[in-house]
């Protein structure tokens, strides 16, 4: 008896339906049953051909990623199973509905014939997880579609539409519709039988490397050197496809498997798989399940048409939602609307929107100066100046004009969401929706849950966030929420190290060498030294006990050296080039002397440890305080919103890789070594101490 397979005889056909919800991941039991079903059909003399399909489910999303830390190769392993299927002496048709990804597409390729429906997506996304296809994909795809096309598909990880797959020869047929897929597949199998088609048709590109120049793979790798810097998987893909071009399948398949195992066991792939599961986990919040009714959102209002408001409005317009944009003054409104139009026009120029679509989107946007126009909005997002007094006025007015049950959201980056909620008589309806700039592009969305935010408001915000293509991560209320709160100690160390003897270029280089998109000092130059200064202004009181570390930056502000926009900040800029500026080094030296800070040679290791351990320590503290629900949420915020390298899995995953003991020892070392400064800022998080004391290697809230 099968538990995950629907096995049915249809005259001379065996229909093998894969039935492992939700996406037919090819886990151990499914592999065992697929093997048994295949053997049953092979042994049955009445069966002349087989059809493999997803029984009420997508065809298959590939190998079961949850098994990769344990039973990935439990018998039959996917590679072995597919070798067995590919050796069938009866024709097999893969009927692809929904998805054929990774091992799912490899299964389809092991079947001799493939038919897909019009909404199906076919791809090998392994590269996005730091892997390469490991069940024949790097060997069979080049033989089907040619080596160059195969490389593009494998290295991009992007799925193909069925029409394109048909063009390339990855599909043999298109079904008339998703509903007729199985019938069409049966008809196709019968045609094959009538025509006496072989179980495995001859490969269209039996020698996929023949047309390639001799140095093709070396040149390809050289061309990608900077893009692939520090990444393992693309190099392994090149190696596997090269072998496919040079060796017979029997040699290529075991070699591919060796390369796959190397990738699977690499820290990079582990980090990327961690982020894959963290992303799925982030959508789950205790107390919220599918039975909780959500608030219907059919109309959105955005207040403030500045940098953030415009981008926020675009997110909703892009999914066809009408948006009212409210400003204080006509000029500001016109400017905001014109900027949105300009953004869409640019997209249209790049060929990604038609002019008609631009007009359709603009037609969904209504500008207003009158709060009365917000009366029927289901969700209002405020993006006005970062001032508690302005927020008070806005929320008090919203409380007056908005309909009962409307969700009132603030995009504040630093202010207290609970205090903002208290400006209304409906704090349960208030929530923070912290978008990142540019708001129409950046995927991260911190969903800030106030003390009184109702569960259905939170659940609705999470669902809506996903609908507009964001990655919503829940944060509690604290200064800076998850992301900016962690930025503070990380940036603090970068700035303080300038006083102790490092140069901006040295600090930033250590961070970019680690794979960060940008060093933190360059980032402040990009954002504006003035922006950093103004954000710090309300914090000065709490910094008063040690005002030292931002002194260089404060002085740059006073000198009008505001960063890239003025051509000078932490660096001197000439076009896109930048250099260390002797004037900044002199300022740092003078201030260090004034503050009695001993300057010395700073090693790269010290820069790494102080910046990263301070960041990690704050993350662990946030977890302990319950601001973040899980370590994975913190990793998502930093990889998705702050350019932390995904191949390191986020700051907390990286800490686990480094070893929690090492992080704790480093914090203790600098606490002892840096005098009063160390005493003040290098206090290890209590949770980190508890984890190390109890011998834990993973960061969990205890
Ligand atoms: N293995 C294990 N679980 C998987 C999975 C997989 N390959 N793909 C999806 N799932 C799980 C998710 O974890 C989630 O579980 P949960 O409900 O318990 O959180 C559930 O299926 C639904 O997934 P999503 O929430 O992501 O649903 P979506 O509809 O948004 O997306 C998807 C579906 C496009 C299939 C997306 O999940 C996805 O991209 N999956 C990964 C696909 C992939 O990378 N496949 C290659 C795997 S590696 C491989 O095949 C190696 C081979 O070459 C040997
Ligand atoms: P901005 O200055 O570009 O835009 C603010 C807009 O609000 C202006 O157009 C202004 O005319 C309008 N406005 C001010 N008071 C108003 C009122 N009472 N009613 C209606 N409109 C009013 O500011 P920006 O950068 O868009 O920031 C807005 C909010 O988003 C702030 O709370 C900020 O902290 C937050 N934020 C900003 C980010 C950024 O990178 N700029 C990132 C994340 C959050």
């Amino acid at each position: 008896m099968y538990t995950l397979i629907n096995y049915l005889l249809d005259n001379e056909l065996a229909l093998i339906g894969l039935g492992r919800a939700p996406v037919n991941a090819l886990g151990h039991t499914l592999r065992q049953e697929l093997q048994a079903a295949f053997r049953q059909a092979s042994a049955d003399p009445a069966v002349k051909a087989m059809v493999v399909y997803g029984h009420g489910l997508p065809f298959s999303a590939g190998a079961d990623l949850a098994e990769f830390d344990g039973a990935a190769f439990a018998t039959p392993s996917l590679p072995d199973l597919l070798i067995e299927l590919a050796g069938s002496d009866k024709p097999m048709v893969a009927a692809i509905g929904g998805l054929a990804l990774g091992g799912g597409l490899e299964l389809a390729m092991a079947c001799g014939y493939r038919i897909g429906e019009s909404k199906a997506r076919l791809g090998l996304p392994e590269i996005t997880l730091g892997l390469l296809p490991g069940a024949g994909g790097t060997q069979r795809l080049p033989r089907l579609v040619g080596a160059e096309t195969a490389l593009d598909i494998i290295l991009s990880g992007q799925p193909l539409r069925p029409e394109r797959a048909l063009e390339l020869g990855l599909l043999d047929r298109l079904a008339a519709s998703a509903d007729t897929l199985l019938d069409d597949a049966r008809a196709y199998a019968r045609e094959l039988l009538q025509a006496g088609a072989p179980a495995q048709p001859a490969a269209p590109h039996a020698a996929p490397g023949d047309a390639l120049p001799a140095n093709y793979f070396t040149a390809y790798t050289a061309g990608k050197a900077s893009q692939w810097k520090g990444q393992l998987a693309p190099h392994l893909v090149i190696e596997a496809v090269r072998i496919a071009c040079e060796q017979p399948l029997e040699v290529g398949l075991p070699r591919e498997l060796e390369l796959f195992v190397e990738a699977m066991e690499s820290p990079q792939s582990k980090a990327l798989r961690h982020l894959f599961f963290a992303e799925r986990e982030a959508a789950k919040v205790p107390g919220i399940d599918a039975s909780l009714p959500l608030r219907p959102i059919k109309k959105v209002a955005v207040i403030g048409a500045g940098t953030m408001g415009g981008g926020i409005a675009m997110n909703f317009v892009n999914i066809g939602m009408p948006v009212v944009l409210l400003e204080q003054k006509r000029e500001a409104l016109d400017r905001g609307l014109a900027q949105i139009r300009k953004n869409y026009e640019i997209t249209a120029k790049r060929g990604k929107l038609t002019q008609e679509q631009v007009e359709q989107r603009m037609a969904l946007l209504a500008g207003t100066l009158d709060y009365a126009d917000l009366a029927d909005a289901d969700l209002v997002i405020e993006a006005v100046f970062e001032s508690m007094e302005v927020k008070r006025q806005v929320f008090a007015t919203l409380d007056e004009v908005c309909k009962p049950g409307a969700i009132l959201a603030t995009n504040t980056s630093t202010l207290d969401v609970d205090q903002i909620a208290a400006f209304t008589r409906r704090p349960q309806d208030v929530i923070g929706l912290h978008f990142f700039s540019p708001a129409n592009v950046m995927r991260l969305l911190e969903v800030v849950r106030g003390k009184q935010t109702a569960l259905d408001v939170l659940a609705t915000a999470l669902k809506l966030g996903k609908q507009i293509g964001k990655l919503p991560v829940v944060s509690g209320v604290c200064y800076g929420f998850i992301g900016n709160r962690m930025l503070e100690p990380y940036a603090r160390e970068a700035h303080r190290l300038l006083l102790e003897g490092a140069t901006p270029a040295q600090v930033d280089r250590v961070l970019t060498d680690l794979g960060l998109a940008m060093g933190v000092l360059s980032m402040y130059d990009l954002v504006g030294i003035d922006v950093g200064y103004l954000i710090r202004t309300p914090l000065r009181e709490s910094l008063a006990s040690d005002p030292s570390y931002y002194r260089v930056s404060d002085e740059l502000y006073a000198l009008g050296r505001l960063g890239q926009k003025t051509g000078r900040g932490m660096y001197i800029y000439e076009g896109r080039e930048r250099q260390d500026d002797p004037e900044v080094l002199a300022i740092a030296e003078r201030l260090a002397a004034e503050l009695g800070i001993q300057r010395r040679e700073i090693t790269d290791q010290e820069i790494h440890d102080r910046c990263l351990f301070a960041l990690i320590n704050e993350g662990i503290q946030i977890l302990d305080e319950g601001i973040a629900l899980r370590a994975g949420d913190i990793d998502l915020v930093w990889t998705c919103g702050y350019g932390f390298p995904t191949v390191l899995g986020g700051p907390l995953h990286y800490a686990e890789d480094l070893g929690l003991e090492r992080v704790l020892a480093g914090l203790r070392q600098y606490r002892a070594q840096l005098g009063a400064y160390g005493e003040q800022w290098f206090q290890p998080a209590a949770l980190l101490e508890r984890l190390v004391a109890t011998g834990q290697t993973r960061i969990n809230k205890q």
Side-chain angles (χ1 to χ4, degrees):
M1 271 312 285
Y2 298 109
T3 56
L4 296 176
I5 294 268
N6 193 65
Y7 187 93
L8 197 76
L9 285 183
D10 171 19
N11 297 315
E12 73 278 44
L13 301 182
L15 308 181
I16 301 176
L18 311 178
R20 182 177 181 219
V23 292
N24 271 324
L26 294 159
H28 186 209
T29 308
L30 184 54
R31 294 197 303 272
Q32 280 178 321
E33 293 193 5
L34 177 55
Q35 184 181 49
F38 169 74
R39 287 181 179 177
Q40 182 179 347
S42 300
D44 185 343
V47 171
K48 304 288 183 235
M50 296 171 231
V51 174
V52 183
Y53 69 100
H55 187 68
L57 294 173
F59 181 76
S60 169
D64 187 344
L65 292 164
E67 283 184 353
F68 278 24
D69 291 322
F73 294 106
T75 323
S77 71
L78 190 59
D80 285 347
L81 174 62
L82 297 193
I83 289 172
E84 185 173 341
L85 264 56
S88 168
D89 51 14
K90 301 178 181 179
M92 295 181 76
V93 174
I96 301 174
L99 298 166
L101 298 179
L105 184 57
E106 291 172 302
L107 165 61
M109 286 193 282
C111 299
Y113 302 90
R114 287 160 298 280
I115 176 168
E117 49 93 11
S118 64
K119 293 216 171 68
R121 295 290 175 270
L122 294 82
L124 293 170
E126 284 89 343
I127 194 90
T128 61
L129 298 164
L131 297 167
L132 65 155
T138 65
Q139 306 302 303
R140 292 198 177 97
L141 190 62
R143 289 177 164 86
L144 261 181
V145 302
E148 289 175 272
T149 309
L151 262 189
D152 284 350
I153 295 173
I154 299 171
L155 287 170
S156 78
Q158 291 305 310
L160 302 174
R161 293 176 181 282
E163 304 77 33
R164 179 75 184 134
L166 185 69
E167 248 170 53
L168 294 175
L170 185 52
L171 281 180
D172 306 297
R173 290 276 173 101
L174 284 187
S177 75
D179 293 340
T180 63
L181 174 65
L182 190 53
D183 287 342
D184 293 353
R186 287 195 289 209
Y188 183 30
R190 290 200 169 98
E191 268 179 50
L192 290 168
L193 288 177
Q194 267 175 7
Q200 279 290 347
H205 297 263
D210 277 3
L212 299 178
N215 65 345
Y216 179 76
F217 292 102
T218 328
Y220 196 105
T221 308
K224 299 280 182 182
S226 65
Q227 196 186 326
W228 291 352
K229 191 178 143 207
Q231 291 181 42
L232 174 67
H235 297 280
L236 301 183
V237 168
I238 291 284
E239 173 66 359
V241 175
R242 189 184 61 74
I243 291 166
C245 292
E246 293 173 2
Q247 302 284 345
L249 195 62
E250 307 76 69
V251 175
L253 288 175
R255 183 71 187 117
E256 174 198 68
L257 186 54
E258 282 170 10
L259 296 168
F260 177 79
V261 170
E262 183 182 343
M264 188 180 83
E265 288 175 352
S266 70
Q268 294 190 355
S269 177
K270 285 183 182 159
L272 291 162
R273 274 148 36 209
H274 157 72
L275 290 171
F276 174 84
F277 284 112
E279 190 171 328
R280 268 92 207 143
E281 204 58 27
K284 296 170 190 152
V285 175
I288 294 181
D289 60 35
S291 68
L292 183 71
L294 302 183
R295 298 196 188 182
I297 307 290
K298 300 215 163 59
K299 183 172 173 182
V300 174
V302 176
I303 308 186
T307 311
M308 294 306 288
I312 293 171
M314 287 173 75
N315 287 310
F316 293 95
V317 167
N318 291 348
I319 60 160
M321 185 96 73
V323 175
V324 184
L325 191 56
L326 181 138
E327 259 290 347
Q328 258 176 329
K329 298 218 172 76
R330 167 64 51 193
E331 309 80 79
L333 181 59
D334 290 345
R335 210 179 319 123
L337 288 169
Q339 183 61 47
I340 294 176
R341 173 173 283 281
K342 196 170 149 200
N343 292 344
Y344 282 134
E345 300 280 357
I346 291 173
T347 314
K349 270 208 189 98
R350 290 195 189 128
K352 295 196 174 145
L353 278 183
T354 62
Q355 195 56 40
E356 196 189 345
Q357 286 170 319
V358 173
E359 299 311 327
Q360 278 165 358
R361 293 193 186 191
M362 289 310 291
L364 285 169
L365 258 178
T368 185
L369 303 174
D370 186 354
Y371 271 91
D373 292 331
L374 273 49
D376 61 346
D378 304 301
L379 164 69
V380 183
I381 305 174
E382 162 280 309
V384 302
F385 300 137
E386 187 76 337
S387 139
M388 197 51 109
E389 178 48 27
V390 183
K391 309 273 187 203
R392 187 190 65 72
Q393 287 167 18
V394 169
F395 276 81
T397 314
L398 289 178
D399 198 22
E400 294 302 323
V401 302
C402 290
K403 66 180 182 188
I407 297 178
L408 309 181
T410 172
N411 181 49
T412 180
S413 29
T414 54
L415 300 174
D416 182 337
V417 174
D418 289 325
Q419 205 179 333
I420 293 175
F423 298 141
T424 72
R425 287 158 296 178
R426 37 174 130 173
Q428 73 283 359
D429 296 341
V430 176
I431 192 163
L433 290 180
H434 184 218
F435 289 83
F436 286 69
S437 183
N440 53 320
V441 175
M442 292 287 287
R443 211 173 145 236
L444 180 63
L445 174 65
E446 280 183 320
V447 177
V448 186
R449 176 185 197 169
K451 280 202 181 65
Q452 299 191 55
T453 305
L455 268 185
D456 65 339
V457 169
L458 182 61
T460 305
L462 289 170
K463 167 96 185 299
L464 199 61
K466 254 197 132 178
Q467 270 172 359
I468 59 172
K470 301 291 177 199
L471 170 57
V473 177
V474 176
S475 170
V477 175
C478 68
Y479 181 83
F481 316 126
I482 295 175
N484 283 339
R485 174 159 160 194
M486 288 171 67
L487 177 62
E488 173 60 27
Y490 169 69
R492 176 193 75 220
E493 286 314 301
H495 284 85
R496 166 79 188 197
L497 282 158
L498 300 182
L499 291 168
E500 293 183 27
T503 68
Q506 188 192 3
V507 172
D508 283 343
R509 181 185 43 75
V510 171
L511 300 174
T512 50
D513 279 355
L514 191 64
L516 272 128
M518 193 182 266
V520 64
L521 299 174
S522 303
M523 187 191 84
Y524 277 95
D525 264 4
L526 181 68
V527 173
I529 297 282
D530 50 334
V531 175
Y533 182 87
L534 294 175
I535 289 174
R536 286 197 297 280
T537 304
L539 283 183
R540 272 175 219 286
E541 234 167 73
S542 61
L543 299 179
S545 52
D546 178 17
S548 68
Y549 56 85
Y550 279 123
R551 285 285 294 276
V552 173
S553 196
D554 288 352
E555 190 139 336
L556 295 180
Y557 174 75
L559 291 168
R561 298 182 48 139
L562 305 183
Q564 280 197 26
K565 60 187 163 192
T566 58
R568 297 184 101 174
M570 285 286 173
Y571 299 91
I572 299 186
Y573 295 87
E574 297 227 355
R576 292 178 131 221
E577 295 297 304
R578 59 150 220 231
Q579 295 172 0
D580 261 337
D581 183 347
E583 195 177 304
V584 176
L585 309 186
I587 292 173
E589 265 175 42
R590 177 171 51 72
L591 288 173
E594 273 175 31
L595 293 161
I597 296 170
Q598 180 82 43
R599 283 174 69 82
R600 60 197 161 87
E601 185 91 2
I602 307 281
T603 63
D604 288 358
Q605 188 68 49
E606 178 168 352
I607 293 173
H608 169 276
D609 288 1
R610 282 177 60 180
C611 292
L612 270 295
F613 293 178
L615 177 75
I616 290 164
N617 196 44
E618 195 70 20
I620 296 177
Q621 180 62 28
I622 282 176
L623 186 64
D624 204 18
E625 288 172 20
I627 297 295
L629 288 170
R630 1 174 146 77
D633 288 3
I634 292 172
D635 286 337
L636 289 174
V637 166
W638 266 73
T639 47
C640 192
Y642 293 81
F644 198 91
T646 50
V647 288
L648 297 181
L652 298 198
H653 182 85
Y654 182 50
E656 292 172 349
D657 265 359
L658 289 172
L660 301 185
E661 261 179 59
R662 184 175 153 206
V663 175
L664 179 61
L667 290 165
R668 285 181 175 153
Q669 177 200 327
Y670 289 113
R671 185 153 201 229
Q673 191 179 311
L674 297 173
Y677 179 86
E679 187 64 31
Q680 181 170 9
W681 297 115
F682 278 87
Q683 168 70 51
L687 174 58
L688 175 60
E689 289 184 318
R690 291 202 301 278
L691 289 168
V692 173
T694 52
Q696 313 276 328
T697 53
R698 310 294 303 268
I699 300 173
N700 291 306
K701 198 172 170 189
Q702 292 200 315

